């Protein structure tokens, strides 16, 4: 909440995003996906990156440099600012989707995300924000959550819920029919080597 906002205000978010994309593609090119059970990695994109007219081609060049297949990346977009060129973002998304990449809309239910944008653009995964998911214990909040999940499934979208920290949360949301769960209940952020070991251990226990 603090770091990204500060980076955007100081004009560093595009450079940081470029470093991140190169690091992720380098990692993807160095691992045995099947051996560690990793299908793909999700990468957050800032609005500042997406509004760059040449961003799609820049990303495809990075992937080509590292020999990364488009099926190995899913791009998360969060609309952190209302002042952006929607036309440029749409063009970049469609170019990347045409190259085989998939997209998630991050923090759905907050900020500037809206239904028409969700329907009109090639988002395959809808990531429901923790603040919306936390409402499952409240009768009205539960209605909103259940109806949101149902609506997205009818639109042929995969649904992920963020911020899960307990068994109770996970069990309740799984009953609602979500596809993916993200949160500290499963794992916290970790260094690359620990991440690989974690995946291997999980697969051996599966």
């Amino acid at each position: 909440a603090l770091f990204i906002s500060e980076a955007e205000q100081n004009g560093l978010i595009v450079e940081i995003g470029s470093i991140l994309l190169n690091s992720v593609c380098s990692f993807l090119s160095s691992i045995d996906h099947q051996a560690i059970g990793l299908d793909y990695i999700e990468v957050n994109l800032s609005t500042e990156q997406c509004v760059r007219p040449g961003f799609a081609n820049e990303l495809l060049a990075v992937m080509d440099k590292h020999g990364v297949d488009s099926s190995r990346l899913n791009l998360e977009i969060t609309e952190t600012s209302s002042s952006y060129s929607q036309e440029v973002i749409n063009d970049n998304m469609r170019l990347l989707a045409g190259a085989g990449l998939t997209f998630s809309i991050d923090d759905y239910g907050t900020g500037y995300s809206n239904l028409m944008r969700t329907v009109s653009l090639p988002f395959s995964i809808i990531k429901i924000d923790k603040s919306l998911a936390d409402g499952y214990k409240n009768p009205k909040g539960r209605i909103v959550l259940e109806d949101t999940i149902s609506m997205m499934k009818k639109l042929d979208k995969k649904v992920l819920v963020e911020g899960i920290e307990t068994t109770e949360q996970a069990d309740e949301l799984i009953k609602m029919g979500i596809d993916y769960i993200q949160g500290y209940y499963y794992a916290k952020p970790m260094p690359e080597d620990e991440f690989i070991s974690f995946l291997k251990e999980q697969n051996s226990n599966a």
Side-chain angles (χ1 to χ4, degrees):
L2 298 175
F3 177 80
I4 293 176
S5 177
E6 189 72 19
E8 288 178 335
Q9 291 177 22
N10 287 280
L12 296 173
I13 195 67
V14 171
E15 184 178 354
I16 292 171
S18 178
I19 292 170
L20 174 64
L21 285 168
N22 270 282
S23 296
V24 169
C25 287
S26 177
F27 172 73
L28 286 170
S29 68
S30 68
I31 60 173
D32 183 335
H33 299 269
Q34 188 171 1
I36 66 174
L38 179 66
D39 294 330
Y40 64 90
I41 290 181
E42 297 207 2
V43 179
N44 286 91
L45 300 179
S46 73
T47 305
E48 298 299 323
Q49 287 174 282
C50 296
V51 297
R52 290 165 58 85
F55 172 71
N57 288 320
E58 292 172 7
L59 174 54
L60 293 174
V62 171
M63 293 171 60
D64 184 62
K65 170 187 171 184
H66 293 283
V68 173
D69 187 86
S70 59
S71 65
R72 299 299 184 187
L73 281 178
N74 178 276
L75 306 175
E76 294 185 19
I77 296 180
T78 303
E79 296 177 8
T80 54
S81 171
S82 60
S83 57
Y84 63 91
S85 172
Q86 184 169 313
E87 182 178 353
V88 174
I89 292 180
N90 294 357
D91 288 345
N92 277 326
M93 286 185 67
R94 292 195 173 98
L95 197 159
L96 291 169
L101 282 96
T102 56
F103 294 88
S104 302
I105 186 165
D106 201 11
D107 301 331
Y108 184 82
T110 64
Y112 299 98
S113 60
N114 63 73
L115 281 175
M116 288 310 300
R117 182 163 173 72
T118 302
V119 171
S120 63
L121 291 175
F123 291 110
S124 57
I125 301 175
I126 308 302
K127 302 187 69 173
I128 295 178
D129 188 72
K130 174 178 169 57
S131 61
L132 190 61
D134 284 344
Y136 76 96
K137 285 187 176 181
N138 176 288
K140 291 183 179 179
R142 192 179 185 92
I143 290 172
V144 171
L145 186 57
E146 289 178 335
D147 285 354
T148 298
I149 293 170
S150 175
M151 175 179 62
M152 292 305 171
K153 302 289 279 187
K154 289 177 181 177
L155 292 171
D156 201 27
K157 309 289 186 183
K158 297 290 186 181
V159 179
L160 180 151
V161 176
E162 301 176 312
I164 301 306
E165 299 180 356
T166 68
T167 303
E168 180 188 353
Q169 287 177 309
D171 290 345
E172 284 296 318
L173 290 160
I174 289 171
K175 290 177 185 176
M176 294 183 193
I178 62 173
D179 300 285
Y180 307 111
I181 295 176
Q182 175 181 315
Y184 284 6
Y185 174 62
Y186 294 101
K188 293 185 178 182
M190 61 187 76
E192 183 177 305
D193 56 343
E194 290 182 23
F195 176 61
I196 292 174
S197 297
F198 172 78
L199 289 178
K200 288 180 177 178
E201 180 181 353
Q202 296 302 308
N203 287 322
S204 67
N205 295 331

